[in-house]
Amino acid sequence: RKEVEQDPGPFNVPEGATVAFNCTYSNSASQSFFWYRQDCRKEPKLLMSVYSSGNEDGRFTAQLNRASQYISLLIRDSKLSDSATYLCVVNGRSQGNLIFGKGTKLSVKP
Amino acid sequence: ETGVTQSPTHLIKTRGQQVTLRCSSQSGHNTVSWYQQALGQGPQFIFQYYREEENGRGNFPPRFSGLQFPNYSSELNVNALELDDSALYLCASRGDPGQSFGAFFGQGTRLTVV
């Protein structure tokens, strides 16, 4: 089983739609969870951390289910500028390393 | 802007050659980590340096090595380049190695091995 698994997509949605991405992780001892956004041929950028109680940042909501080892990202009212690859990330076993999923590609159409 | 800068931005090398990639950390950050991102994949952890010592390593062979300098800038060296080393190489810095918040990346160096 891969350490972090995501549906690669692509997710093709119209502007204004709500879209949800899911991610599972294998290491039950993981303590830190993140979503990154990566535009084509650019570096990944931290979108948001994911907290146990769930957290929201504008149109973005992240949820964590430790029992199921599952992380989600919900994007409401999608914009064209949300088109990107979304990477699910958890902290690794050795100090400092982050483990990335392969990413889920989102394309928002007019 | 993250304050992390990498050079060069693009590089083409021949199989068997050696390459050195450079990273300047964000001011005040004493921890730097390097990642390799192949096309269509997520970044893979190579290693981390804290105060000039390697303190974590991923599943990469010894021909991948690094250095961190007293000013906390860093180098990634790859010897005996292989075609599969073609990838985007990313550097990230942190204030301390155990910080739980996510890493902030430089713009990356795109390496092509021919």
Side-chain angles (χ1 to χ4, degrees):
Chain A
R1 181 183 173 186
K2 291 199 168 93
E3 293 189 82
V4 178
E5 293 203 64
Q6 296 181 249
D7 180 345
F11 284 57
N12 298 308
V13 303
E15 269 187 292
T18 295
V19 61
F21 304 137
N22 303 317
C23 163
T24 57
Y25 61 95
S26 62
N27 181 9
S28 59
S30 293
Q31 295 295 320
S32 303
F33 309 90
F34 311 95
W35 283 101
Y36 276 72
R37 170 201 168 118
Q38 187 170 27
D39 293 293
C40 188
R41 302 187 72 79
K42 299 284 190 181
E43 76 275 19
K45 293 185 177 174
L46 180 63
L47 180 66
M48 59 197 301
S49 300
V50 186
Y51 302 116
S52 296
S53 54
N55 48 299
E56 189 173 305
D57 183 1
R59 298 181 293 109
F60 299 83
T61 300
Q63 297 278 351
L64 169 64
N65 184 322
R66 285 186 186 272
S68 302
Q69 294 176 211
Y70 170 97
I71 307 163
S72 65
L73 177 68
L74 183 78
I75 305 176
R76 291 182 299 279
D77 189 22
S78 299
K79 311 290 185 193
L80 296 177
S81 57
D82 293 333
S83 297
T85 296
Y86 290 83
L87 297 158
C88 176
V89 185
V90 306
N91 67 294
R93 288 179 176 82
S94 66
Q95 191 175 46
N97 76 311
L98 298 175
I99 300 174
F100 287 76
K102 285 189 176 182
T104 299
K105 187 170 180 180
L106 171 66
S107 183
V108 181
K109 306 290 188 186
Chain B
E1 295 298 325
T2 64
V4 180
T5 57
Q6 294 185 240
S7 62
T9 54
H10 295 82
L11 199 53
I12 299 175
K13 288 287 194 179
T14 303
R15 191 170 50 182
Q17 284 188 313
Q18 178 266 342
V19 69
T20 297
L21 310 182
R22 295 181 173 84
C23 172
S24 293
S25 302
Q26 185 173 345
S27 178
H29 283 185
N30 56 20
T31 304
V32 66
S33 46
W34 286 90
Y35 290 77
Q36 179 197 66
Q37 186 175 23
L39 200 61
Q41 305 293 317
Q44 300 283 315
F45 175 70
I46 302 175
F47 46 56
Q48 176 173 276
Y49 278 79
Y50 171 61
R51 294 186 176 177
E52 304 175 56
E53 300 265 340
E54 184 183 297
N55 79 333
R57 190 176 183 95
N59 189 25
F60 279 81
R63 61 189 184 84
F64 285 77
S65 63
L67 279 174
Q68 188 181 29
F69 300 100
N71 66 356
Y72 304 134
S73 65
S74 174
E75 286 182 355
L76 164 66
N77 299 290
V78 187
N79 293 322
L81 283 166
E82 300 176 0
L83 297 179
D84 284 349
D85 295 333
S86 295
L88 179 67
Y89 288 85
L90 296 158
C91 161
S93 72
R94 286 177 165 178
D96 280 297
Q99 279 181 325
S100 62
F101 56 79
F104 297 92
F105 291 96
Q107 82 280 18
T109 294
R110 192 164 296 281
L111 173 66
T112 302
V113 182
V114 298

